Amino acid sequence: MRKLIAGNWKMNGLASSLAEIEALKGTTGTAACDIVVCPPFTLIEKASVRSNGSNIAIGAQDCHAHISGAYTGDVSAEMVADVGARFVIIGHSERRVLHLETDTTVASKVTTAHKAGLTAIICVGETRSERDEGRAVEIIDGQLRGSIPAGASSSNIAIAYEPVWAIGTGLIPTLEQIEEIHASIRRMLEERLGEDGREVRILYGGSVKASNAADILRVANVNGALVGGASLKAADFAEIILAAS
Ligand code: PGA
């Protein structure tokens, strides 16, 4: 399966940061994986123009559950698609925790993203205490059941497994732990989507960097990575992309 490497800039990036996309274009043109950069909303249009004609797709980091309406300050899937986004991250743990997004919210957002023609990267992951209690598989199974809406398929979703305790901490699960969770996500996807569940890309996210990417990307059922901090600089992100190629 062709791997997908997605960069999540989070609330970082000004117009000057678009130089990173230019630099990335220069080094990853022959990469044998799919590449997505998710800058903040304010840069999506400019990033789309800059990446035009390259193998870099642009994504958003969130969208509203409704396509339009009286939701002051929010941004819809249709709006980000209109300015060139093709992907959207939905249900990142920072949204689930800081914006109280539930699985039901996530599923509604994914449906709206699909209506706008976007591919949704749906994030799931356990907290440290849930892992310590031996409940990681159960938690992720529940999140997936609640977060994947009707109409989902391998052509319009990817799943990102991001242990909450591994995000931005420099900590990562062991390769065995990653393999266990990805295998259980695969089983659940097959149960839910039948044969097509085998084709859905399952990304690992949480402290991925150039020094650990190759090992993580070799684990069974790891079909890509969702990268935060190490996606901000083209040089670091390019190394991860090349590890996937
Ligand atoms: P990190 O973030 O790579 O900085 O740990 C990953 C993410 O939150 O998607």
Side-chain angles (χ1 to χ4, degrees), residues 8 10 92 94 162 166-169 205-208 226-230:
N8 173 11
K10 308 193 181 186
H92 189 282
E94 286 151 18
E162 299 204 302
I167 295 176
T169 59
S207 298
V208 175
L226 180 55
V227 184

Side-chain angles (χ1 to χ4, degrees), residues 148-162:
I148 300 177
S153 74
S154 61
S155 57
N156 63 21
I157 62 165
I159 305 297
Y161 165 52
E162 299 204 302

Side-chain angles (χ1 to χ4, degrees), residues 170-211:
L171 303 171
I172 55 165
T174 64
L175 298 180
E176 291 72 25
Q177 287 170 331
I178 295 175
E179 185 169 354
E180 181 198 17
I181 299 293
H182 280 242
S184 84
I185 294 173
R186 178 68 67 209
R187 276 195 297 279
M188 194 271 160
L189 288 168
E190 285 177 18
E191 225 177 82
R192 182 71 185 268
L193 304 175
E195 284 224 345
D196 189 45
R198 282 185 214 153
E199 306 300 324
V200 175
R201 290 187 281 197
I202 308 173
L203 318 184
Y204 169 79
S207 298
V208 175
K209 40 187 192 269
S211 59

